[in-house]
Amino acid sequence: MSDLGRWMEASRDDVRPRWSGERAQAVLGSVRRGARRRRVVRAAAAGLVATAVLLAGALGARRAVVGGPAVAQVEAPAAAARDWTAARVGPEGDLRLIEVTPARVVVRVERGAARFEVRHAASRVFRVEAGDVAVQVLGTAFTVARAGAGAEVSVERGRVRVFWAGQYADLGAGARGTFPRAQMAAAADAGATAEGPPPVVAPDAGLAAAPPVASRAATARPSRAWAALAELGRYDEAYAAQPPSGAAALRSVADLLLAADVARLSHHPEAAVDPLRRVLDEHRGDPRAPLAAFTLGRLLLDDLGTPLDAARAFARARELDPDGPLSEDAMAREVEACSRAGETERARVLAAAYLARHPDGRRARSVRRFGGIE
Amino acid sequence: MRKPDASRPPLAEVPPPLDLDALFERFAPYVASIGKRLLGRDDEVDDLVQEVFLTALRGIHGLRDPDAAKSWLATVAVRNAHRRLRRRQVLRWLGLADEVSPDELVDESVSPERRAKLVRIYALLDRLPPDQRVAWILRHVEGERLDVVARLCGCSLATAKRRITAAHEFIERGLAP
């Protein structure tokens, strides 16, 4: 066998799916649903009627529902993944389904209270609006009860982010808070929970300034258990056990990159930002710095929706290693980020530079599209 | 009166058919791995696994031997991946295909140098006809024997060898400094 063949076979495990028990369950559920659908279609004497019903269901799931009617209980449409439910608490509860798309679910609590169970999905935002308060879900079960112009939020498990008047606070399991509230009151209130004070920051402080998330149960633990858990692929446990990103215990590039991976793979993309920035600030000469910059850009663009910051990160990746293996991808994604940020002229100029440098580049088509030079 | 068929084991010795849950629990990670390596991206793996097991459901009642099941699922997975690659090729030709970032392809724990090389190889594989790509990956990534590659690809041994060689030369040329 040739060197390439041997190298490739040795690299086999480097290309593997991010397969997990949760993902397996979701796919198995789809198989079962698919099998059920097949049985229904086969069994239905009126085949045309059955087909029409299925088509209507599938189309309904894709269409956004805007300003929906008051409901007592709602759950994900049948054709979509059944990964969330919302139910009013008490007879006075008034719950409205505002929007359902694959990328976003919005439910509004008009009156009374409602309880939600939501499984985390990186590609979908689940949001509950209640008066002047919006609760964004990070994978959890919680109750939102209207209180005056705002709402009282109680979290049973998992974590939510509550937004109000340009501020936000994270609430972990067992925490309860009434919003809107003053910054000091927020800190004091959540400080009574078992998980320590939630971060309360102004949005203009930016993601890099956001303190470590509140639900990290073992922030005082200095052990390396988190790294061992990460190596085993147990990212949720590793995330709970790892030290805060600003801690002295996290100093080496390897640890910072691992901490960022743990945050990303345990579905806490916002917590991956700080360790990646620290690699760039404290270890800019390290050969892994371009990878950190590229990963940061991807995170900011794909997971956190901040294209301007993402464009800066991709530019940094190129600047750190202009002829490196990531340079072409970084440039292409910078074009995309600029385009998404509305910086069309910058996107166009960058796209032209990309095409001049990589005329047959594998990202040439998307660069033309995002650069507006098709 | 009909004579008993000597080629068939007595009913008591026939193992019960495999059920979906058992089959899925045992082989879904395997199918997902083949799918990821053939397709080179993570976001199509769920759909591929789902379609493979939906296909498997049709023949599940005849499945009793887990080893035979694994081989059969691999065949279904390869054919499904091949269809997807052909569709992707058409979409790319039309300028409609999404491109994949390196993070989608390679495991997070891989060193940057190794990651970069794998990304380059998969970029070259993207330019190959699906027939050659699939045969080369089965041979050099999955480490399958040539006769198994031929069976999984549904072609003759000579054709499988020809496809693998063509892909290999193309990739080596692409990687040459």
Side-chain angles (χ1 to χ4, degrees):
Chain A
M1 189 184 281
S2 68
D3 288 348
L4 172 62
R6 269 191 295 276
W7 189 89
M8 208 56 217
E9 205 166 327
S11 305
R12 188 178 158 202
D13 285 341
D14 295 342
V15 183
R16 60 184 172 193
R18 293 167 191 143
W19 196 249
S20 63
E22 192 179 324
R23 194 171 171 185
Q25 282 307 310
V27 176
L28 181 57
S30 304
V31 174
R32 287 196 184 114
R33 281 194 294 277
R36 264 202 303 275
R37 269 197 297 273
R38 194 179 284 168
R39 277 199 300 271
V40 167
V41 172
R42 208 179 292 151
L48 283 174
V49 175
T51 307
V53 169
L54 285 173
L55 278 175
L59 288 172
R62 287 197 187 130
R63 199 170 45 228
V65 181
V66 178
V71 289
Q73 177 157 336
V74 288
E75 65 177 28
R82 285 183 185 278
D83 58 359
W84 59 268
T85 59
R88 72 183 182 196
V89 177
E92 73 281 10
D94 184 356
L95 194 58
R96 282 167 201 270
L97 194 55
I98 303 300
E99 180 181 337
V100 179
T101 66
R104 194 173 147 93
V105 176
V106 180
V107 181
R108 185 178 296 155
V109 181
E110 298 283 4
R111 282 189 309 277
R115 183 178 178 281
F116 302 86
E117 285 208 34
V118 183
R119 201 169 67 199
H120 178 83
S123 59
R124 186 257 291 124
V125 170
F126 190 97
R127 190 178 170 94
V128 178
E129 296 176 350
D132 297 336
V133 172
V135 183
Q136 197 147 308
V137 177
L138 309 170
T140 183
F142 65 105
T143 302
V144 176
R146 287 300 306 267
E152 183 184 81
V153 182
S154 318
V155 181
E156 292 161 42
R157 61 173 188 271
R159 206 157 58 89
V160 300
R161 178 162 291 178
V162 185
F163 296 87
W164 76 95
Q167 297 183 64
Y168 72 82
D170 285 355
L171 290 184
R176 172 182 296 199
T178 303
F179 304 89
R181 60 183 176 185
Q183 199 157 320
M184 292 302 292
D189 189 9
T193 70
E195 297 185 341
V200 179
V201 294
D204 58 1
L207 282 160
V213 288
S215 62
R216 232 174 249 172
T219 50
R221 221 179 292 166
S223 82
R224 299 274 309 160
W226 72 275
L229 289 165
E231 295 296 337
L232 292 170
R234 291 158 62 178
Y235 298 110
D236 289 337
E237 293 163 72
Y239 180 76
Q242 80 179 16
S245 60
L250 282 180
R251 195 173 291 157
S252 71
V253 176
D255 274 358
L256 288 166
L257 289 176
L258 186 61
D261 283 346
V262 165
R264 285 192 303 128
L265 299 171
S266 62
H267 309 300
H268 302 92
E270 70 285 353
V273 171
D274 192 51
L276 291 170
R277 284 204 198 280
R278 280 189 58 197
V279 173
L280 297 174
D281 294 343
E282 299 168 19
H283 306 275
R284 62 166 294 150
D286 190 281
R288 288 161 289 183
L291 179 67
F294 186 87
T295 307
L296 178 63
R298 187 172 170 263
L299 193 73
L300 292 166
L301 185 62
D302 298 340
D303 296 326
L304 298 171
T306 52
L308 211 51
D309 288 340
R312 284 190 205 107
F314 289 127
R316 188 85 188 274
R318 291 196 295 124
E319 175 201 317
L320 287 167
D321 191 5
D323 300 314
L326 293 172
S327 176
E328 182 186 344
D329 283 311
M331 197 171 190
R333 297 228 69 191
E334 192 180 342
V335 173
E336 180 186 345
C338 287
S339 168
R340 290 193 179 175
E343 301 262 336
T344 48
E345 181 55 23
R346 193 171 146 202
R348 194 187 62 74
V349 170
L350 265 171
Y354 173 97
L355 294 168
R357 189 167 177 187
H358 309 283
D360 298 316
R362 63 193 189 90
R363 290 186 171 270
R365 284 184 198 280
S366 74
V367 164
R368 283 197 189 92
R369 189 168 71 242
F370 285 113
I373 50 177
E374 281 184 299
Chain B
M1 190 176 166
R2 288 178 64 184
K3 283 185 176 178
D5 185 349
S7 67
R8 293 187 176 181
L11 278 178
E13 291 175 20
V14 177
L18 298 167
D19 68 36
L20 174 67
D21 285 12
L23 201 66
F24 191 89
E25 186 182 356
R26 187 159 176 182
F27 296 120
Y30 168 71
V31 172
S33 296
I34 293 185
K36 171 70 183 277
R37 289 193 277 266
L38 287 172
L39 297 170
R41 51 195 298 173
D42 213 60
D43 59 352
E44 289 186 33
V45 167
D46 288 5
D47 286 347
L48 180 135
V49 175
Q50 182 186 335
E51 285 172 22
V52 167
F53 280 90
L54 274 171
T55 306
L57 274 174
R58 287 186 206 136
I60 200 167
H61 302 298
L63 277 177
R64 285 174 170 78
D65 175 8
D67 290 335
K70 184 177 179 182
S71 166
W72 181 57
L73 288 170
T75 307
V76 178
V78 168
R79 289 185 186 161
N80 190 295
H82 188 265
R83 266 201 307 277
R84 287 174 174 275
L85 289 167
R86 284 178 60 182
R87 194 184 314 148
R88 199 191 292 173
Q89 195 177 37
V90 173
L91 288 174
R92 191 177 296 123
W93 185 75
L94 294 170
L96 299 172
D98 291 336
E99 280 140 352
V100 187
S101 75
D103 301 60
E104 284 295 317
L105 171 67
V106 188
D107 192 80
E108 268 72 7
S109 59
V110 178
S111 71
E113 296 77 16
R114 220 176 165 77
R115 183 183 290 209
K117 186 167 179 183
L118 279 167
V119 168
R120 279 184 73 193
I121 289 171
Y122 266 87
L124 290 164
L125 286 169
D126 276 345
R127 295 189 200 168
L128 282 172
D131 286 343
Q132 292 181 15
R133 173 188 177 126
V134 168
W136 188 84
I137 290 174
L138 289 172
R139 176 70 176 142
H140 288 301
V141 185
E142 295 299 323
E144 297 289 3
R145 292 195 322 265
L146 283 169
D147 60 319
V148 177
V149 174
R151 182 174 54 75
L152 289 172
C153 292
C155 65
S156 69
L157 192 61
T159 304
K161 280 183 191 170
R162 201 168 51 245
R163 287 175 185 172
I164 293 166
T165 305
H168 202 74
E169 286 171 0
F170 177 81
I171 293 165
E172 283 196 317
R173 272 199 309 276
L175 291 175

